[in-house]
Amino acid sequence: MSVNTVSNNAMGAMQPAAQLSAKSDTGNPFTRMNETELANHLYVHFDRFSDPKQPGVITRQSLENIAYSSTQSGVSTEDSQFARALLENHGLMDKLDRYGNTKYDGKIKRESVRMVASPEHQKFSAMSNKDMANYLIAHFDTFKEHPDTFNASKSMQGVTLWSLEDVALSQASPPDAKMFARELLARPELMDQLGLADRGSRVTKQSLVISLPNVQ
């Protein structure tokens, strides 16, 4: 065997796995799926993508291991293609990490996948900013502070970052309310337009109505 042949073989072995498998993505059927379809597939097959070192949790590393595995590793082509499509969908990956009880901890739990796959998520993710603002006004009492939780007098009760997060994370919150709060919190520009840019902000129903014409 020539020196050049050995050198070429070594270079091939050193190529990143992502490059070696990228050529198979041309016909990847999962790249044509929307967020809800991808989340549903992940929910049904959750255990196939979980991290062996962290049972019950999917991590970016566990997805990458499946996405860029060689055919000899025992990973199916379907799982490999799905993992690559999921990793390339940055918006969905962000939601899967953010919708858990602990935001941005790098761990995807089954519950957060279920939320993203839910009809409630599809309902609110498709809403315009204006429709989201109108929904908040119409359901103001659901998302405002409560005296027993926030020590706020009745006259001072309003919507805050704290009250939205309380609804988003509470097990007692109805699915619609929980998903709306999570979707609203995921739109920083809209939060700013509504006057909820920081944790010291509190907005009343009247102030929301006043700010509505400026919502884009």
Side-chain angles (χ1 to χ4, degrees):
M1 182 181 293
S2 69
V3 174
N4 286 339
T5 301
V6 173
S7 177
N8 289 338
N9 288 340
M11 288 297 290
M14 292 171 62
Q15 286 181 358
Q19 292 181 18
L20 292 174
S21 58
K23 59 185 179 182
S24 63
D25 281 342
T26 305
N28 187 341
F30 296 106
T31 59
R32 297 189 289 274
M33 284 186 172
N34 60 33
E35 286 188 355
T36 303
E37 291 169 334
L38 286 170
N40 269 311
H41 184 92
L42 184 61
Y43 186 75
V44 172
H45 304 291
F46 187 92
D47 292 335
R48 284 171 21 193
F49 301 94
S50 62
D51 194 321
K53 298 178 181 178
Q54 303 184 64
V57 171
I58 293 173
T59 63
R60 177 171 288 275
Q61 186 61 56
S62 68
L63 287 171
E64 288 178 348
N65 288 344
I66 293 172
Y68 306 121
S69 292
S70 65
T71 53
Q72 290 79 20
S73 66
V75 174
S76 70
T77 300
E78 176 184 300
D79 284 352
S80 182
Q81 287 181 325
F82 174 80
R84 286 199 299 276
L86 182 58
L87 286 166
E88 290 166 8
N89 193 319
H90 304 298
L92 177 54
M93 285 292 291
D94 179 80
K95 287 180 181 179
L96 291 171
D97 193 359
R98 178 166 28 88
Y99 279 17
N101 285 342
T102 305
K103 295 192 291 186
Y104 296 121
D105 62 352
K107 299 176 182 179
I108 298 172
K109 306 271 181 69
R110 197 185 299 268
E111 176 65 11
S112 63
V113 180
R114 186 193 65 77
M115 286 184 180
V116 177
S118 70
E120 291 83 13
H121 170 258
Q122 191 170 10
K123 170 183 175 181
F124 294 117
S125 64
M127 273 190 179
S128 67
N129 282 347
K130 187 79 75 175
D131 288 340
M132 289 284 291
N134 276 312
Y135 189 94
L136 179 60
I137 293 169
H139 300 84
F140 183 83
D141 289 347
T142 300
F143 302 100
K144 71 180 182 181
E145 300 167 297
H146 297 287
D148 56 338
T149 305
F150 298 95
N151 297 316
S153 65
K154 187 172 183 179
S155 61
M156 290 294 292
Q157 289 171 31
V159 173
T160 66
L161 274 169
W162 299 105
S163 66
L164 287 170
E165 288 177 346
D166 185 60
V167 173
L169 297 176
S170 174
Q171 294 297 320
S173 298
D176 265 22
K178 182 179 293 191
M179 192 52 64
F180 174 83
R182 290 175 185 267
E183 181 63 29
L184 181 56
L185 289 165
R187 301 191 190 189
E189 290 184 3
L190 175 56
M191 292 285 286
D192 184 50
Q193 291 170 16
L194 295 175
L196 291 165
D198 57 65
R199 292 193 175 277
S201 302
R202 174 185 284 111
V203 295
T204 64
K205 191 171 186 177
Q206 182 180 6
S207 66
L208 287 172
V209 172
I210 292 172
S211 64
L212 187 59
N214 299 319
V215 172
Q216 299 177 351

